[in-house]
Amino acid sequence: MVATDYSVGILQYIPFFYVIWSDDLLSASEISVVQKVIGLDASLDKDEKIQLQSWLNRDNPPLDDEIKNWRQTIASSQVKLIENDTYPLTSLSQRLVKSDDLNEQLKHIEVHLGIQPNHYNHLFDVEVVHEKTSDEYDAKNLDEILKGKHSKVVDGFRTFLDKPDFAWKTLRNKEEFRNKILKQVQLLGEAGYGAMAYPNAYGGTGNMPAYAAIFEHLMFVDGSLAVKFGVQFGLFGGSIQKLGTKKHHDQYLTEAGKTKLLGCFAMTETGHGSNVRGIKTTATYEKSSDSIIIHTPGKNDNKEYIGNALHSKIATVFAQLIVNGKNEGVHAILVPLRNENHETLDGITVEDNGYKLGLNGVDNGKIWFNNVKVPRQNLLDKYGEIRDDGTYFSSIKNPNKRFFTMLGTLVGGRICVARGALGGSKMALSIAVKYALNRRQFNDNVKIQEDLIMDYPTHQLRLTPAIAGAYVYHFTLEEMMKRYSDDPQSDKRKIETQVAGLKSIITWFANETIQECREACGGKGYLLENRIADLKGDVDIFTTFEGDNTVLLQLAAKGILSDFRAEFNSVGFSSVLKLLQTQISDKLAAINPLYSNKVDAEHLYNPKFHKHAFDYRTRRLTYTLAMRIRNYIKKGIPSYQAFLKVQTHLLALGKAYSVELAYHIFCDHCEQIIDLKYRALMEKVGCLYALDQINSDARWYLEQGYIGSTKSKAIRQRVERLSTELRPHIEVLVDGFGIPEHCLTAPITK
Amino acid sequence: MVATDYSVGILQYIPFFYVIWSDDLLSASEISVVQKVIGLDASLDKDEKIQLQSWLNRDNPPLDDEIKNWRQTIASSQVKLIENDTYPLTSLSQRLVKSDDLNEQLKHIEVHLGIQPNHYNHLFDVEVVHEKTSDEYDAKNLDEILKGKHSKVVDGFRTFLDKPDFAWKTLRNKEEFRNKILKQVQLLGEAGYGAMAYPNAYGGTGNMPAYAAIFEHLMFVDGSLAVKFGVQFGLFGGSIQKLGTKKHHDQYLTEAGKTKLLGCFAMTETGHGSNVRGIKTTATYEKSSDSIIIHTPGKNDNKEYIGNALHSKIATVFAQLIVNGKNEGVHAILVPLRNENHETLDGITVEDNGYKLGLNGVDNGKIWFNNVKVPRQNLLDKYGEIRDDGTYFSSIKNPNKRFFTMLGTLVGGRICVARGALGGSKMALSIAVKYALNRRQFNDNVKIQEDLIMDYPTHQLRLTPAIAGAYVYHFTLEEMMKRYSDDPQSDKRKIETQVAGLKSIITWFANETIQECREACGGKGYLLENRIADLKGDVDIFTTFEGDNTVLLQLAAKGILSDFRAEFNSVGFSSVLKLLQTQISDKLAAINPLYSNKVDAEHLYNPKFHKHAFDYRTRRLTYTLAMRIRNYIKKGIPSYQAFLKVQTHLLALGKAYSVELAYHIFCDHCEQIIDLKYRALMEKVGCLYALDQINSDARWYLEQGYIGSTKSKAIRQRVERLSTELRPHIEVLVDGFGIPEHCLTAPITK
C-alpha cells in the first residue's frame, strides 16, 4: 500500500497538503502560514521538514501522481471525516496517525487558512459524518447584538405578536384583507405600540429607535400591516407631532396613537409624484370666515395613492398656502374627510386605487377637494402660522429653507421604509436558507449522499453576501435613527442626504435579495403559503414610495456636491477643485502597481483596504462629476441642463457614498461588540459585504487602474471563498435575525 | 451684437460646432467627418475653411468664451428649433443665415454624427417645437418584419382575440379566474388554434413556428392563458403527438386539440424538481392482467405543480417503467384521472397547489397514484414498447440515449416558454414607453416646458437597450423554432444545448425588463389595472419551470464542453487543449494595445468587433474551464466534484455562448431585410444590444486585457448615446411589436 511510504510526521500533514493543492486558491501569504508552522512543529524531524517544505513551492508544485497518492492514502485508511469536530481536518489527520492529541500546529493551519469541511469534504473518498450547522455560535447571542438597547421592547413585542390575530393568512379579497389589517393596527394602537415615538404625555415613550425596531418586525407579520401602521402612526400621527403645535397635540395625538382617530397623509398628487414643491392643491385663507379653503384645481391634481384613505376620518393635506393673495409655499392642514357614520363630507371625493401587485391590505385611494372649508386652527403651524390678524408669519424667513425644514421632519419615515425593506429581506433569507438546508439535490454519483442545496457554491454565492448585507444595513439603520432622533439640532441636512441614499440602496438591495430567495426556492418559492411571493410584491414599491430611488439618489449626490456647488460659477470653484484633486492624488499615490495587484489574504480582508477603496471611489466620482458640471457651465449651459447630462454619474456617486457610509458605520459598530468571538464573526460578515461591493463594481475600479486584473479575479474568488467559509454558520446567521417562530410559518422552512 | 462677427459661411456652421463642443463624446473619427465636409463645402472661402478647421483641434479646443458667443449668437437670432424637420439642425442652421436651401454638407454631418434633437435641444436657448415621435419610420413595417412568414396567421389571430371573452379583468378568486381562463382555452381549441402544430389529419397545420408566434400573443391577453394553453396543447397534446404512436394519435390527438379532452403533463415530483431521471413514480407491467400499475412510492414522490391538474380528465405520467422486474428507465403513460362527472378515479389523489405569486388562472396541483391500473396500450411507445409477449423493446438500445431522445421532443416547449417571456417583456416595454411619452416631469426652471420622462437620459438607458434585446431575441427564437421544426433529423442535441441556454438568458432578460418597466412607471406601474404588475408575477416563474435556469445553463455549458469531454481522461485531451489554445492565440493576436484601446465609432459600431468580442469570450471561457476541470481530474478528483467546483464558471460560459448565438442569428436575419432604411434601423438596434452586452461584462473583458480603460468607458458612453439616438423612434419601436390595441388596455398608456 502506498500509505506505508510516509512517516507519521509526514502522514499527519497529508490531508492538509491534499486540500491545499487540490484547491484553487492559495496565495503567498497562505503558503507562508504553512511554512512557519512546519518550522515550529517539534513533532517533525529535519528530513520531514525538508520534505514538507519542498511541497510548498508554487513554481514547482507536487506532481499529480503525488497528489493522487495522498488521496489514496487517506481513502485506504478508512478514517471518517466528522464535520462537527471542533477542528475537523486536524482530527481526521490525527485519526490517520492514530494519535489521541491534536497537533497544535495543524490546528493553527486549519484556523488561519479558514478551511471548512464543506470546502474539502467532496475531495476525500472517505465516509463523511455530515452536519447541517456548526454549533460554534449561538443565534441567541447574535440576536442580542442586533437588538442592542431595544432588547426588552423587542422581546415583549415578539410575544405580543404571538396571537391568532396576527397569524398569516391568504386573503384575496381586498375588503376582507383591509379589515383584517385594520384590526391588527387597532390592536397595536390599543397596546400602546403606535404611540411609542410620541412624547409620554401623549401615551408614548419618546423612543423613535425602538419604534423603528418594532416596525421592522411588522414585516414578519405582513407587509400591509407595516405600511398601514406606518401611515397611521408615523405619517399621519407624525405630521401632527412634528408639524403641529400644542393645540394639535392635545386635540389629536393621543387619539391618533390609540387609533381612535384614523388619519391619512395626503401629499403626493397624480401629476406631481416626486415634486412636492410643485403640488397644485391650494389652501386659501379666507379672512371673512377665518377659515382655509382646500381645493383641487385640475383633474390630475388630486391626491394620489394615499394610504388609509378609505378608513380615515381626517387627512393631513399638503397644499400651497395662499394668504392675502400671496403663495407662502407648501403647508400641511388637517382636513376632516368623513363624519361619524363614515360618510364622506361635502366637497370630498375619495376613489379606491384598486388592486395592486402587493400591499392589498392597505386601502390606497385618490382624494379630490372641492372648496372644502376648515378652521384656520387646522393649519399645522409649527413652521408657519396665520396670526389672529390674518397675516402670515414664519420664523424661517427663507421659503426654501422653510419647505425643507418641514420635509426634513419626515426623514424618520424614510429610515423606517428602509428598515421595513430590510425586514422583508431578512424574512426571505431565513426562509430560503432553511429550505436549502432541508432539501437535497440529486447528483449523478450514487455512492455519495445527495447534497443539501446549501452546499452548492452557486447557492452559497446567491445567499451569503445578501446575509452579510442584511447585517451591515441593520447596524447602519440603527445608527442613522439614533443620529436622527438623538439631537433635534444636529446637522439635519446631512442626515437627510445620507438617508436619501441609504433608503435607495437598501430598498434595492431588499428587492434583489427577495428575488434571489424566490428563485433559490424554485417553484416552492412561488407559492403564497411560503411567504416570499408576498414579500416580493409588497417590498417592490418600497423603491418608489417615500421618494423614488432614482430621484433620491440624485438628491443625495447633489447634497454631496452642495458644499461647493455655490462656487461653481465663482472663482473659488477652481480652488475647491484643486483641493479635491490633491486629495485624490494623495489617494492615488498608493495606487502603484504593487498595490493594485496586491492579492494576499491579509490585504484583501483588511478593512483598511475596503475603506480606502470606498473612499477613493466617492472622491473620484465627486471630482469628475464636479469637473464635468463645471465644464458645461463654463460653456454657458444652464445648470439644470448640465445636471441632466450627468444624471447617470449622479446616481453612481449617490450609491458609492451610501455604501461607504454603511460600511463605516458597521465597522464602528463591530468595535463595540464585547464578545471577541462574535466580533470576529461580524468582522468576517463585514468583510464579505465590502468585498462583494467592490466585486460588483470591479469594472469601475479596473477602469481607474485602482485594481489590476489579478486583483480583480482574486476579489471575486475571495467573495466565493468567504461565502463558503460562512456556510457552517449560515443557519445561525439567519436565526440571529430573531424572526419569531410564530411568524416563520412557511411550510418549506419545516 | 456678437453675431455680426461671423460671416454667413461661418455662421451656418455655428450650431454644429456648438453642439459638437458642448457634448461629451467626440472621437477622432467624428472630427474627421467634419473636417472632410469643410474641405468639400463650396459655399466656404479659404479663410472660412481655415477658421473652421482651427476649431476642430482636440488638443487646442475653442475657448469657453468662444462657445458662449456661439450660444449667444443662436439665442439672439430667435430662430426656432423644429424637431420634426427631416434635418432639424441643418434646418435651424439655414434659418440662421436666412437661406431657403439646405446645405448638403451640413446634412452629411448631421446624418453621420447621428446627432438627434433630443441630444441638443436643451443646449439651445431658443424655442423648441417638440415632437413625441419622429415619423421617419412606420411601425407597421417593423411589425411586418417581425411577423415574417406568419403575417397572415398572426393578423387573423389578433382579430380573433378582439372579443369580450378575451378582455382583461382582475379576478382575485382563483376558481373564478381559472374558469375564465379555461373558457378562453376552449374557445381557442374550438377555433383550431390549439391544434396548429399537429398534423393536418388531427385538425392542425403542422406549423410549429406559427404556433409559437400566436403563443406569444397570448401573453398580451393574460399570462395564465398562455401557460394553460401551453400545458393543454403543447405539453399534454405534444406528449401524445411526439411520444405516442398512431393508435394514440387516432384516439386522443384531435380531441386534445379541440379541448374535448383536457389533460395534464405529470413529470416533476416534489422530491425531484430538476432531476427527471431520478423520479420515483413507478409504472410496473403486470403480465397477468396485461396492464401497467402506476404508483407513488413515498410521501414526497407525488407529482408536483402540475398545470391543468384540477380540470383534467387524463394525464401523461412520467414514471420508471419496470418490465419483468427490470427498470427500463423513464417512460410516459396515459393515466385517466377523472370520470365523466369529474370525480377522481380510485387510487388518484389530487390536491390544489393554492395561490401563487402569479398565474392564478392556472390550476396547479399535486397528484398521488395508489396502484392505479391502466391498459398496456396506454404506454406512449414511440421510443420504447411492451410487446404482446410481455417483453420490453426499444430501437434505441442505450437507455441514456433513449431517455434524452424522449426529453428532446420537449425542446419546442422551452422555446415557447422563452417566447412567452419575451412577449411579456414586449408588453411591459410598450406600456412603460407610452407612459413615459405621456407624462412630464417637473424641472426647476419655469421658463422651460416640463420634460417628458422619456427625455431623461437615465430613462432612455433603462428602456432602450431592453427594447433592442427584445428585437434580437425575437429573431433568435423565430430562427431556433425554425431549426427545431424544419428537420426532425437535424442535430437535435446541439439545438437542445442552444435552447437550454437561450431559455435561461431570455427569461432572465424578461424578468429584469419587466422590473425596470414597473419602476419606470413608478406607483402607477404597481396598480394591477396597468398590467405590468401581473406580468411581473406571471413571468417570474418562467425562470424556474420547464427547467430551472441555473440547471439549464450548466446543461448548456456541459453541452459545449461535451465535444471533448470524452477525452478528459485520455491522452487525446491535451491535443484538444492545444487546438483550443491555438485558436485563442489567433484571437489574442488581435489584442494588441492598439486594438484594446480602439474607440472610434466605426470600430465600436462594427458587428465584426462585437462578434470578435463574443467569440473570444466563449472560447476563452471554454478553454479555461476545460483546463480547470482537467487539473482537478489529474489530481484524482472525480468529475462530479470537479464540475461542482467550477459551477459559477459553467454559468458564465452558458450565458456567453447564448449571447453570441443570439447576436449571430440576429445579424444574419438583418441581411435578409430588403428595405435598406429599416435594415439600417435594425442594425442600430443590434449594435445597441451588442454594446450593451459587452458593457455589462466589461469587467471580464478588462480583466482579460481584451479592452483597456479608455475603451471600456467609450463603450459605456456609446450605449448611452445609442439609447439617446433611438429616442425619436422609441414609440415606433414598441409599436412595431404589434401588440393589438384591444390588448394594450393599461390606462397609463392613454
Side-chain angles (χ1 to χ4, degrees), chain B residues 214-507:
Chain B
I214 67 152
F215 179 81
E216 184 184 337
H217 276 71
L218 297 175
M219 289 299 296
F220 308 151
V221 178
D222 200 305
S224 291
L225 174 59
V227 170
K228 197 174 172 88
F229 181 96
V231 169
Q232 169 67 23
F233 305 114
L235 292 178
F236 168 63
S239 67
I240 296 171
Q241 182 192 6
K242 304 240 169 86
L243 302 178
T245 46
K246 187 161 185 303
K247 61 179 178 289
H248 304 111
H249 299 166
D250 291 347
Q251 191 174 348
Y252 302 106
L253 205 51
T254 308
E255 302 272 288
K258 289 203 182 308
T259 55
K260 283 188 184 155
L261 179 69
L262 292 174
C264 57
F265 184 84
M267 182 185 265
T268 307
E269 295 177 0
T270 304
H272 303 83
S274 305
N275 179 18
V276 179
R277 228 180 331 179
I279 56 169
K280 301 280 193 222
T281 304
T282 52
T284 312
Y285 177 61
E286 187 182 64
K287 201 172 174 188
S288 61
S289 60
D290 197 24
S291 56
I292 299 169
I293 298 160
I294 312 293
H295 189 64
T296 307
K299 195 172 152 273
N300 286 322
D301 302 329
N302 59 290
K303 296 299 175 184
E304 174 69 272
Y305 242 113
I306 307 306
N308 223 5
L310 279 88
H311 291 155
S312 287
K313 288 278 185 279
I314 193 168
T316 298
V317 177
F318 287 80
Q320 304 288 349
L321 181 65
I322 295 157
V323 183
N324 293 325
K326 190 183 166 209
N327 187 338
E328 302 288 357
V330 174
H331 285 67
I333 303 104
L334 286 168
V335 183
L337 298 178
R338 294 186 174 86
N339 64 20
E340 284 161 19
N341 301 323
H342 212 66
E343 295 151 342
T344 43
L345 299 172
D346 280 352
I348 309 270
T349 309
V350 180
E351 204 178 89
D352 192 340
N353 267 126
Y355 283 103
K356 293 156 292 182
L357 175 58
L359 297 178
N360 281 302
V362 181
D363 48 316
N364 290 98
K366 309 179 196 186
I367 311 178
W368 287 261
F369 302 95
N370 184 10
N371 290 306
V372 175
K373 222 176 243 193
V374 301
R376 170 167 61 101
Q377 288 71 23
N378 282 25
L379 176 69
L380 295 172
D381 55 357
K382 181 162 180 190
Y383 298 109
E385 59 184 297
I386 302 170
R387 287 187 292 200
D388 291 343
D389 65 359
T391 58
Y392 177 82
F393 173 79
S394 170
S395 57
I396 308 171
K397 296 299 167 209
N398 182 330
N400 244 335
K401 203 179 160 195
R402 190 190 310 143
F403 175 74
F404 285 112
T405 306
M406 289 192 207
L407 283 199
T409 60
L410 304 172
V411 168
R414 275 194 192 138
I415 301 177
C416 283
V417 167
R419 194 73 191 259
L422 177 63
S425 59
K426 286 179 184 170
M427 178 96 167
L429 285 166
S430 302
I431 295 166
V433 164
K434 284 173 185 296
Y435 176 65
L437 289 171
N438 285 336
R439 178 151 178 176
R440 295 189 180 277
Q441 189 66 280
F442 69 97
N443 64 49
D444 294 337
N445 193 330
V446 284
K447 248 180 69 187
I448 300 166
Q449 191 190 12
E450 293 201 333
D451 293 301
L452 291 174
I453 306 184
M454 200 64 252
D455 287 321
Y456 281 83
T458 46
H459 218 80
Q460 290 158 5
L461 201 56
R462 203 168 206 177
L463 301 178
T464 323
I467 291 171
Y471 273 89
V472 170
Y473 294 139
H474 178 98
F475 293 124
T476 304
L477 291 175
E478 271 290 337
E479 173 63 22
M480 289 312 297
M481 187 53 103
K482 193 164 157 282
R483 290 185 194 173
Y484 170 71
S485 58
D486 260 11
D487 176 8
Q489 295 316 314
S490 61
D491 188 349
K492 277 272 188 268
R493 218 207 51 205
K494 189 167 181 186
I495 293 179
E496 222 181 306
T497 297
Q498 294 176 331
V499 168
L502 289 171
K503 184 262 178 185
S504 300
I505 63 163
I506 295 173
T507 54

Side-chain angles (χ1 to χ4, degrees), chain A residues 21 64 304-305 451 458 518 523-524 526 536-537 540 634-635 640 647 695 699 703 709 712 716, chain B residues 21 64 68 305 451 458 518 523-524 526 536-537 540 634-635 640 647 695 699 703 709 712 716:
Chain A
W21 286 109
D64 290 332
E304 173 69 273
Y305 242 114
D451 293 300
T458 45
R518 205 298 288 154
K524 288 285 181 191
Y526 197 62
K536 217 186 115 159
D540 185 89
K634 271 171 72 184
K635 288 169 188 158
Y640 165 73
Q647 219 184 7
N695 185 47
R699 181 250 188 97
E703 278 181 2
S709 297
S712 174
R716 180 168 46 219
Chain B
W21 286 110
D64 291 331
K68 275 190 198 159
Y305 242 113
D451 293 301
T458 46
R518 205 299 287 153
K524 289 285 180 191
Y526 198 63
K536 214 185 119 159
D540 185 89
K634 273 172 69 184
K635 289 170 188 161
Y640 164 72
Q647 219 183 7
N695 185 45
R699 179 250 188 98
E703 278 181 2
S709 296
S712 174
R716 181 170 44 222

